[in-house]
Amino acid sequence: MQTNDVAVRRAVDSDAAAVAEVYLRSFTAALPSVRRAHTDDQVRSWFREVVVPDQETWVATFEGSVVGMMVVDGETLDQLYLDPAWQGQGIGGRLVHLAKQLRPAGLALWTFQVNESARRFYERHDFVAAEYTDGHDNEEHEPDVRYVWCPGRGSEGHIR
């Protein structure tokens, strides 16, 4: 598997099932202790009926198979998930770089506090923790952290 052979493109309706499966596998692997708010079938339906057709969804593909996905909603990097077998190979970094190109004025995102690997990943890509919550506003009721990326602003932009 070489990341040079991974293509990144806008998702099309026919990608929805594969996008949902990447999300489900990634969430299960990365967050085994987090209660999922929706069943697998509800997640699949949401990707098929809402996310892929109505939101700015991008996919990373290898030999035609979706191995990663990203959703950018306004100035929010709403979702970024990679198939667990493809993590650690630079694909997530490529997707974040694309998100920054798409939103050069800055981005924000939320991740769960317990997701240490995601937090390290975003911090390596110049996102700074800006807000911590007890999870009262997310469906999982899991403590989370909001990260922001502001171009030209380094770690001195850390806000708590």
Side-chain angles (χ1 to χ4, degrees), residues 36-136:
R36 287 211 350 249
H38 302 281
T39 67
D40 289 0
D41 285 342
Q42 289 170 326
V43 168
R44 290 179 184 111
S45 175
W46 179 62
F47 276 101
R48 182 180 61 252
E49 297 172 15
V50 178
V51 177
V52 173
D54 298 335
Q55 297 181 354
E56 186 176 351
T57 306
W58 293 82
V59 291
T61 64
F62 178 75
E63 295 181 352
S65 296
V66 175
V67 298
M69 57 82 70
M70 171 180 79
V71 177
V72 182
D73 182 16
E75 303 306 312
T76 301
L77 177 53
D78 192 47
Q79 299 185 49
L80 179 86
Y81 290 93
L82 297 178
D83 187 289
W86 286 86
Q87 292 177 0
Q89 299 184 46
I91 299 166
R94 283 179 60 189
L95 291 170
V96 166
H97 180 72
L98 172 61
K100 289 177 177 182
Q101 288 180 316
L102 294 168
R103 303 298 191 273
L107 286 165
L109 64 90
W110 289 92
T111 193
F112 296 120
Q113 291 182 32
V114 71
N115 195 345
E116 291 291 333
S117 63
R119 293 178 64 188
R120 284 190 306 272
F121 170 81
Y122 290 121
E123 289 168 5
R124 278 194 314 271
H125 290 279
D126 301 321
F127 283 81
V128 177
E131 178 183 2
Y132 293 84
T133 81
D134 63 4
H136 66 276

Side-chain angles (χ1 to χ4, degrees), residues 8 12 14 18 23 27 30 32-33 35 57 74 90-92 110 125 157:
V8 176
V12 295
S14 61
Y23 169 89
F27 193 102
S33 67
R35 177 190 74 82
T57 306
I91 299 166
W110 289 92
H125 290 279

Side-chain angles (χ1 to χ4, degrees), residues 133-145:
T133 81
D134 63 4
H136 66 276
D137 283 336
N138 66 56
E139 292 180 312
E140 294 81 5
H141 302 293
E142 180 74 26
D144 54 8
V145 55

